Amino acid sequence: MWWGGRGRSFNIPPQKEPDMGLLRPKSMQVSGMEEPRSPQTSSCPALRCLPGEQVLAWAPGVRRGLEPELPGTLICTNQRVLFRPHGWQGRQDSALSSDYDFALSNIGRLEAVSGLGRPQILRPGSLLKFMPDEILIHGRDFRLLRVGFGEGGLEPLAFRVAMAIIQARAQNSQAQQYDGMTVSKACCGLGPSEPPVPLLETPEEWEAERKKHGARGWRVSTVNERFDISTSLPRYFWVPRQTLDSEVRKAFGHFHQGRGPRLCWHHPGGSDLLRSGGFYEASDPNREDIRAVELLLQAGHSDIVLVDTVDELPSLADIQLAHLRLRALCLPDAADEKWLSALEGTRWLDHVRSCLRKASDISVLVTSRVRSVVLQEQGDRDLNGLLSSLVQLLSAPGARTLYGLQTIVQREWVAAGHPFLTRLGGSGGSEEAPVFLLFLDCLWQLVHQFPAEFEFSEFFLLALHDSVRVPDTPTFLRDTPWERAKQSGQFSSYTKVYTTGSPQSPVGDLVPRPLSVWDWGLRYSHQQILQFYNPCYEPHHSSDSYPPKEQPTPVTPGPPRSIFLFSRGTLTPLNQLCPWRDGFSSLTSSSRWLVRHNTSSDSLADQEWGLPPHWGPSPLPPGLLLPGFLGPQIRLWRRCYLRGRPEVQAQGRQRQKLKHPFKELLRRSQH
């Protein structure tokens, strides 16, 4: 085969078929796992391929940038690029567990280096102009893989694998990568001591979660079971017990994209946290429809607070721009001069600060005497998920366990229809904005400020951060629950149902559960999973530390006793709940119940929170976390963002060897 450029051509010897006699380990419980099929030589290491995956090219090389240098093999498939060290055995029980696995969609920049000239950036569809001595793969998750081929006449093989990566990236379509891998429940999760994370695909799972929350005033609605109200909503969700599904259907039609108010979390003290899309003000509801909307927002309470979610928070464009600037700043070749000033100029840490501050304010509202707190965002698929998740983590000690965090992500992000594929740049559109990665950074700040309050460690957050683009699961590769169910083969037949404003469809017979991102045991070794646990965790808070549980008292039909809009740290009384009653206007007098003290280093922890008199005293409950968000209290997540800098990688690995408490983790895993 001949490759070349600028009038030059190279005769690349063909590669031979590898020996595929390796037996699959018994721990592999994934149906559809295949052995690699491609023209390779027997020197190519054994590789556990994903469904539909084929090895395209490989080349022996040496991983550089860290001490000591590590010999191994760089492999390109039609789904990913990976480096396998020689003698690689400890992690051969899983298909995706290497620190050097890069999904094609995760490659942010590909470079070829030769001693004869400047590095060449290899974009999809471009042509390599020389025999490379070194290949650099920059991940969009801030990882860096640097492989050298300068000795032993390996440059022709390096040329082949570089061209294979270029062509694979050009042909790659992330939306078509997942082919329906399924998994048996026996090998899921973090281990036998951890319960499986509910995927919330059945009414039984939603009912079990409702009971765990103690939300007696709520029920599971099946009104969207056929996705005929909204394909971006889950098939099931929680609504007030006294409302009928017919009322829910009417009310949801007056909200943006059919995303009406529904329960996120029930606080043991009696408050309810809801989320909703924006009012569809162009609709013309009748009196019964307006009353149905009010019943959903009121949720059996006499006091309501509507939270303007987007107020004071960055826009999607702001988040994307800040992340691009941060990624560029953290590249190995970024200038070190005035680096801290450049970091401040990215505005990324400012966005983290804004989110934590807003979540802290809402947490105080939910845990005080306020009865119904409604997060309202026009699309209800981005910042609502971020704030609802942070509020639960700040307010509920049970949410700070590994199981609790995974359940929140599954419910408030995956099931709630966060457009992961679009926001992470997999759809090729212009609406990219890593909102979920911003949430993970906020969560890392909490773990850093309260190290004894969280069961999970920084390593788990890194694993979750790096899992958003893995090609083996539809969890983060789809925009809606409907797309996820259809593409993963959850439904074997479809019945299209159309309603006004919602040309959506499908439902059918359930088939075996698809692989989930929560099936860590299939992608990480036992030793790696042990690092997910925080040895400093002190589970001294329990639900018993809350005030006695109070269930909402059903109210008689009629307007609520008080309605407030929370915006810019201020509670403003409103004269009506819905925008269709004589206009949506606030009262002229502003009630500044919540005054933010920007000079306080203690954030909101020691402040007096004056609330409407009829709400009575509102002491902050034990277990509530109120983080600091001023100046140096918000830090750069170095272990994540500076992984592409070799000196930082070396420092991080050395610290891990010095302080990783294997004995304590092993003891906890055995109990």
Side-chain angles (χ1 to χ4, degrees), residues 319-378:
I319 295 173
Q320 172 65 2
L321 180 59
H323 194 260
L324 288 175
R325 289 174 174 172
L326 178 66
R327 209 165 69 198
L329 183 64
C330 294
L331 289 174
D333 54 0
D336 290 332
E337 184 179 358
K338 297 182 180 179
W339 196 89
L340 293 179
S341 298
L343 174 62
E344 183 179 357
T346 67
R347 299 293 309 279
W348 180 259
L349 296 184
D350 289 337
H351 299 337
V352 172
R353 181 178 294 106
S354 299
C355 293
L356 287 176
R357 180 169 53 199
K358 184 107 178 181
S360 298
D361 290 348
I362 299 171
S363 298
V364 173
L365 288 172
V366 173
T367 55
S368 65
R369 296 290 177 173
V370 179
R371 294 310 185 197
S372 177
V373 179
V374 185
L375 305 178
Q376 195 162 35
E377 179 190 17
Q378 183 70 2

Side-chain angles (χ1 to χ4, degrees), residues 29-34 50-53 79 174-184 471-475 477-478 483-491 511-516:
Q29 300 292 331
V30 182
S31 62
M33 297 295 287
E34 302 174 358
L50 307 172
E53 184 177 25
Q79 294 189 17
Q174 188 179 27
Q176 299 177 356
Q177 283 184 5
Y178 182 73
D179 292 327
M181 185 188 300
T182 58
V183 60
S184 74
D472 65 334
T473 165
T475 305
L477 296 183
R478 298 292 173 265
E483 292 176 3
R484 196 172 291 110
K486 179 182 178 181
Q487 188 68 28
S488 66
Q490 183 179 355
F491 304 106
V511 297
R513 182 180 76 78
L515 181 68
S516 165

Side-chain angles (χ1 to χ4, degrees), residues 264 273 275 309 313-314 316 319 348 351-359 362 375 377 380-394 408 412-413 416 418 434-443 446:
C264 294
L273 179 66
R275 62 185 291 179
T309 298
L313 295 188
L316 296 179
I319 295 173
W348 180 259
H351 299 337
V352 172
R353 181 178 294 106
S354 299
C355 293
L356 287 176
R357 180 169 53 199
K358 184 107 178 181
I362 299 171
L375 305 178
E377 179 190 17
D380 182 37
R381 301 175 66 185
D382 293 294
L383 297 177
N384 265 6
L386 183 147
L387 287 179
S388 64
S389 301
L390 288 179
V391 168
Q392 294 177 61
L393 288 159
L394 290 173
I408 286 177
E412 301 298 333
W413 294 86
H418 176 69
V435 182
F436 184 69
L437 303 185
L438 178 62
F439 162 70
L440 292 182
D441 196 321
C442 293
L443 188 49
L446 297 179

Side-chain angles (χ1 to χ4, degrees), residues 54-255:
Q54 295 183 1
V55 175
L56 303 178
W58 64 269
V62 177
R63 186 209 63 191
R64 294 176 177 171
L66 294 174
E67 296 294 339
E69 293 186 344
L70 186 65
T73 305
L74 183 66
I75 306 172
C76 174
T77 78
N78 60 331
Q79 294 189 17
R80 54 181 169 151
V81 178
L82 56 151
F83 180 80
R84 285 290 181 261
H86 288 168
W88 180 80
Q89 295 178 351
R91 302 173 189 173
Q92 286 184 349
D93 58 342
S94 57
L96 285 175
S97 62
S98 171
D99 293 334
Y100 309 109
D101 282 5
F102 289 77
L104 293 176
S105 59
N106 187 36
I107 298 177
R109 191 170 78 177
L110 178 66
E111 291 181 286
V113 180
S114 173
L116 302 178
R118 299 177 58 185
Q120 179 185 351
I121 298 179
L122 306 177
R123 297 179 175 86
S126 62
L127 183 65
L128 181 57
K129 302 174 183 177
F130 51 79
M131 289 283 193
D133 297 329
E134 193 171 76
I135 293 177
L136 284 80
I137 301 174
H138 300 269
R140 299 176 69 186
D141 56 6
F142 298 88
R143 287 185 296 160
L144 169 66
L145 176 60
R146 180 182 169 195
V147 182
F149 311 92
E151 299 178 359
L154 299 176
E155 293 89 345
L157 295 181
F159 184 93
R160 175 187 293 276
V161 76
M163 289 302 303
I165 297 174
I166 293 172
Q167 295 179 1
R169 292 182 68 196
Q171 299 172 1
N172 175 64
S173 174
Q174 188 179 27
Q176 299 177 356
Q177 283 184 5
Y178 182 73
D179 292 327
M181 185 188 300
T182 58
V183 60
S184 74
K185 294 185 178 180
C187 65
C188 300
L190 297 169
S193 62
E194 295 285 350
V197 177
L199 300 185
L200 300 176
E201 295 174 344
T202 66
E204 292 77 15
E205 289 179 315
W206 282 92
E207 177 63 15
E209 286 298 300
R210 184 196 66 81
K211 291 180 178 179
K212 290 180 182 178
H213 287 212
R216 299 179 184 176
W218 298 80
R219 66 177 180 86
V220 178
S221 173
T222 61
V223 69
N224 195 46
E225 192 166 29
R226 290 181 173 270
F227 294 107
D228 55 346
I229 290 182
S230 175
T231 56
S232 65
L233 283 176
R235 298 172 66 197
Y236 314 100
F237 44 78
W238 297 314
V239 298
R241 184 174 294 277
Q242 67 268 27
T243 58
L244 303 175
D245 274 353
S246 59
E247 295 175 316
V248 174
R249 182 182 296 274
K250 291 179 181 179
F252 274 45
H254 301 293
F255 288 85

